[in-house]
Amino acid sequence: MFAGLPELGVSNGEDLKETLTNCTEPLKAIEQFQIENGVLLPSLQSALPFLDLHSIPRLEFHQTVFDELREKLLDRVSVIASEGKDEQRYTKLEELLEKCFALVKMPSIQPVVMCVMKHLPKVPEKKLKLVMADKELYKACAVEVKRQIWQDNQALFGDEVSPLLKQYILEKDNILLSSDLSVLHNFFSLSPKTRRQGEVVQKLTQMIGKNVKLYDMVLQFLRTLFLRTRNVHYCTLRAELLMSLHDLDISEICTVDPCHKFTWCLDACIREKFVDAKRARELQGFLDGVKKGQEQVLGDLSMILCDPFAINTLALSTIRNLQELISQESLPRDSADLLLLLRMLSLGHGAWDMIDSQVFREPKLDSELITKFLPLLMALVVDDYTFNVEHKLPTEEKAAVSYPSNLPDVFTKFLQENRIACEVGLYYTLHITKQRNKNFLLRLLPALKETFSDSASADIFLHLFTSNLTLLSDEFGSEEFCTSIFDNFFVTFCTKKENVHRHVLRLLLHLHHKVLPAKLESLNKALEPTKTSGDAVKDLYNQLTEKSQQKKPSPPPAAAEPEPTPMDIPLHNVPAPPIL
């Protein structure tokens, strides 16, 4: 507790013990020890007996004085750190640190030592090593001191950051698989600024401060984890972290990150959930402005575009652009804004391949995507619109046509083989579901059973799809509709992917009261967890089973046998007529 006092020439408990052991008059020895080691203030000597008369222990008095002096010293350290020229004030702080560092392990003095180190831009290396070697001291350090330790110790910094990154991914997964299903409050509902106020982003921002080296380390961790796991949430964190530093006006980092202005512009688009013409030109300028020899920037730009919030904004803007082209009777190849959206979607979806291969070159857009797939999708949209208009006409004016059922094979093939076509197709499916367009949904759904990299079974799509399906809740009273949605689509994935199993159970928990009892019973059997199913699936299934049991009507009470009528009485029970 009193470590370091002898080094400063101050007596401690061991000195008192030795004095009492070797003295002949203990009371005089104690009195002498008090005089030598008490508060060296002559005017105080007459006050101490007065305190004794009021039964105030000397320990309480000295502790009060000590606490007051410590607070004044802490204030003085802060004043020194803010006054004078840099060189002068840092020299004063270094001298103070040299005097007090020996007491760093004394709990009562430790705050002063830590405060001095906190205000030093460069703590002497020897002292940093002593702090790093002691777990308790390291834990007590201010983050400003830890930054100086971390910047030369990547492994230790990684140990600090790793739990935060795991927490971040877990939070994202929990949102995607939460029991709440809502169109208005889904994964993409929060604004970018609200998202980066989250605990993990704020902690990382504080840990980095203005230290460019630590910022680069975090980015390297994110790239490595993205490559190792293909988890796109690391791309979200990369963008959120940069914009969090932007919010704090940390110019030391923002000015050196070549992605800053691009991310800032894209962040505004994500906030509006739309890329307008002006911002489209700005984004294109950043992409076209990547100079020869700096192509590596494309790796970070692609990672920022791979952020699901960026992909969502680009895809929604693409659907809106296609609708405008239909109304204008124009072709996709004539829209510069559409071509840029597809270019950025392609760059975002190609992030993993680019960073993995270290070949920093924009992926080339498939010309058939623009000349064949998108016109075909537009034609399907027009067909659907035409049918709906005819369906609303008076009976005598309706054309004798039925809703087209099958999709062209070439359309399905695009969804299977072209990454961007698949993304557009999935988002159009979400769009028509949100519009409650049952006919077009049932027409598109069979094509989604086989998509590029099984994109239709990804958590983000299923999260949005199941939320949008709640708008068609009344349709689930139809066995035909349930068969199309569950048996012909969802259940086909359930045997292969546990995440799909969870999403289906989430949807049924929300809509079970709309489903016919017989159909719900058959779905219960089809969705029963296997031995290898996780606890989350089993828990959801048990909840569904419990709710299904509650829904079953109780059997009617057994009817009492009616009193026999005269026609029901057997003939042998009828009394014989009297003999006249």
Side-chain angles (χ1 to χ4, degrees):
M1 183 175 178
F2 298 102
L5 286 176
E7 296 175 34
L8 299 177
V10 179
S11 300
N12 63 5
E14 290 299 320
D15 295 319
L16 178 59
K17 182 180 178 182
E18 185 179 347
T19 300
L20 292 173
T21 303
N22 299 325
C23 73
T24 54
E25 297 184 49
L27 291 177
K28 283 188 177 181
I30 291 172
E31 185 179 355
Q32 186 62 32
F33 188 89
Q34 287 177 328
I35 293 170
E36 291 174 358
N37 296 284
V39 178
L40 301 178
L41 192 63
S43 60
L44 187 64
Q45 299 304 315
S46 58
L48 288 175
F50 181 72
L51 293 173
D52 293 338
L53 290 172
H54 287 79
S55 302
I56 296 176
R58 294 287 177 90
L59 174 62
E60 184 180 332
F61 165 71
H62 282 92
Q63 187 64 53
T64 303
V65 172
F66 180 85
D67 291 344
E68 187 69 24
L69 289 173
R70 183 180 58 198
E71 291 306 313
K72 287 187 178 298
L73 183 55
L74 287 170
D75 292 341
R76 181 62 186 151
V77 170
S78 299
V79 170
I80 292 172
S82 61
E83 288 182 346
K85 295 181 180 179
D86 288 352
E87 189 176 339
Q88 291 175 339
R89 64 173 182 257
Y90 295 151
T91 302
K92 287 181 182 178
L93 290 173
E94 284 172 359
E95 289 173 357
L96 183 56
L97 180 63
E98 199 61 42
K99 289 177 181 178
C100 68
F101 189 80
L103 303 177
V104 70
K105 291 189 178 181
M106 186 184 291
S108 54
I109 298 291
Q110 193 179 87
V112 177
V113 184
M114 293 302 178
C115 181
V116 175
M117 288 199 293
K118 173 184 174 180
H119 288 99
L120 270 174
K122 188 166 178 59
V123 177
E125 187 68 24
K126 184 180 177 182
K127 290 177 172 53
L128 281 180
K129 286 182 178 178
L130 289 171
V131 170
M132 188 170 62
D134 189 306
K135 287 184 180 179
E136 293 301 319
L137 287 182
Y138 172 77
K139 189 177 179 181
C141 271
V143 70
E144 289 85 355
V145 181
K146 288 181 179 178
R147 287 186 199 126
Q148 297 182 48
I149 295 173
W150 293 333
Q151 68 178 5
D152 296 318
N153 196 319
Q154 186 170 347
L156 182 60
F157 186 52
D159 291 340
E160 292 274 356
V161 169
S162 183
L164 292 174
L165 301 184
K166 288 178 182 175
Q167 179 186 338
Y168 184 85
I169 299 301
L170 184 62
E171 287 172 358
K172 293 294 182 189
D173 289 339
N174 286 341
I175 295 172
L176 286 171
L177 291 161
S178 70
S179 56
D180 297 328
L181 288 179
S182 170
V183 177
L184 297 177
H185 303 288
N186 59 38
F187 184 74
F188 294 111
S189 296
L190 292 178
S191 70
K193 196 153 190 175
T194 304
R195 283 189 284 114
R196 53 182 179 262
Q197 296 302 315
E199 180 186 3
V200 172
V201 177
Q202 287 300 303
K203 279 186 177 179
L204 286 173
T205 304
Q206 186 187 27
M207 289 168 74
I208 291 167
K210 298 178 181 181
N211 195 308
V212 177
K213 194 171 181 181
L214 293 180
Y215 177 67
D216 287 338
M217 279 189 204
V218 173
L219 295 192
Q220 191 55 46
F221 294 151
L222 295 177
R223 291 186 200 103
T224 303
L225 289 166
F226 176 50
L227 281 178
R228 189 181 299 167
T229 64
R230 287 182 180 263
N231 194 318
V232 292
H233 299 315
Y234 291 114
C235 300
T236 306
L237 183 53
R238 195 261 184 259
E240 285 181 350
L241 187 57
L242 175 55
M243 289 311 299
S244 176
L245 292 164
H246 166 89
D247 291 342
L248 295 173
D249 199 20
I250 308 293
S251 58
E252 290 85 349
I253 290 175
C254 292
T255 53
V256 298
D257 190 332
C259 301
H260 171 237
K261 289 184 178 178
F262 181 88
T263 309
W264 185 11
C265 183
L266 186 61
D267 185 75
C269 298
I270 293 171
R271 185 179 64 242
E272 303 296 331
K273 291 186 170 61
F274 179 64
V275 182
D276 60 34
K278 181 184 175 183
R279 291 198 177 109
R281 287 193 295 273
E282 289 180 32
L283 292 169
Q284 184 172 4
F286 295 129
L287 291 177
D288 294 340
V290 176
K291 297 176 182 177
K292 193 172 183 180
Q294 297 179 344
E295 291 88 355
Q296 195 166 351
V297 174
L298 284 173
D300 272 341
L301 289 177
S302 68
M303 196 168 171
I304 286 164
L305 285 168
C306 189
D307 166 19
F309 290 86
I311 294 288
N312 180 65
T313 301
L314 296 172
L316 290 175
S317 301
T318 300
I319 299 302
R320 186 164 163 181
N321 201 290
L322 287 172
Q323 290 175 312
E324 289 176 0
L325 290 175
I326 292 171
S327 65
Q328 297 165 4
E329 298 185 4
S330 300
L331 291 172
R333 62 172 177 255
D334 297 328
S335 172
D337 287 349
L338 177 61
L339 295 179
L340 174 64
L341 291 169
L342 297 173
R343 177 186 174 187
M344 290 193 287
L345 276 173
S346 180
L347 189 55
H349 279 297
W352 190 92
D353 295 321
M354 185 183 295
I355 298 172
D356 181 54
S357 66
Q358 292 292 289
V359 177
F360 300 104
R361 186 170 56 242
E362 278 195 53
K364 192 175 180 181
L365 270 178
D366 184 356
S367 60
E368 291 195 342
L369 170 73
I370 300 157
T371 59
K372 288 187 178 179
F373 174 76
L374 293 180
L376 182 55
L377 176 59
M378 291 164 68
L380 294 174
V381 174
V382 172
D383 285 348
D384 174 69
Y385 179 76
T386 304
F387 173 82
N388 288 329
V389 169
E390 289 182 346
H391 188 70
K392 292 175 182 177
L393 292 174
T395 307
E396 61 273 10
E397 296 181 28
K398 285 184 183 179
V401 291
S402 59
Y403 193 85
S405 56
N406 296 328
L407 290 169
D409 291 339
V410 65
F411 183 87
T412 305
K413 190 175 180 183
F414 265 110
L415 297 185
Q416 294 169 357
E417 299 177 0
N418 189 292
R419 191 196 309 258
I420 308 306
C422 179
E423 189 71 50
V424 175
L426 291 175
Y427 264 86
Y428 203 80
T429 304
L430 294 173
H431 172 72
I432 59 174
T433 309
K434 198 171 184 178
Q435 298 296 316
R436 298 179 173 88
N437 190 337
K438 182 187 76 169
N439 290 326
F440 203 0
L441 170 62
L442 296 181
R443 188 183 182 193
L444 276 179
L445 210 52
L448 304 187
K449 287 193 284 187
E450 289 186 36
T451 51
F452 187 92
S453 295
D454 280 341
S455 299
S457 62
D459 280 328
I460 292 174
F461 171 73
L462 291 177
H463 171 87
L464 296 174
F465 186 45
T466 50
S467 296
N468 289 359
L469 279 172
T470 60
L471 297 173
L472 288 164
S473 58
D474 290 339
E475 299 293 342
F476 284 88
S478 159
E479 184 168 354
E480 182 184 354
F481 186 78
C482 280
T483 300
S484 299
I485 297 294
F486 291 112
D487 301 64
N488 297 342
F489 180 68
F490 279 125
V491 176
T492 58
F493 287 119
C494 285
T495 54
K496 307 173 191 174
K497 294 179 178 280
E498 181 158 315
N499 72 305
V500 183
H501 202 161
R502 288 180 69 175
H503 283 288
V504 183
L505 290 169
R506 288 171 61 241
L507 180 62
L508 268 176
L509 272 170
H510 192 81
L511 295 170
H512 70 279
H513 59 288
K514 296 284 186 179
V515 181
L516 294 172
K519 187 63 186 175
L520 186 59
E521 189 173 345
S522 69
L523 285 172
N524 269 341
K525 291 178 182 177
L527 296 171
E528 188 172 357
T530 63
K531 291 180 180 179
T532 58
S533 295
D535 291 338
V537 168
K538 291 175 182 175
D539 183 50
L540 285 169
Y541 182 78
N542 290 337
Q543 290 181 47
L544 179 62
T545 304
E546 185 179 334
K547 293 201 171 190
S548 300
Q549 293 296 333
Q550 292 172 359
K551 184 187 173 185
K552 283 184 179 179
S554 54
E561 291 187 11
E563 291 291 329
T565 62
M567 294 298 296
D568 294 328
I569 299 174
L571 290 177
H572 60 81
N573 288 335
V574 178
I579 297 173
L580 297 175

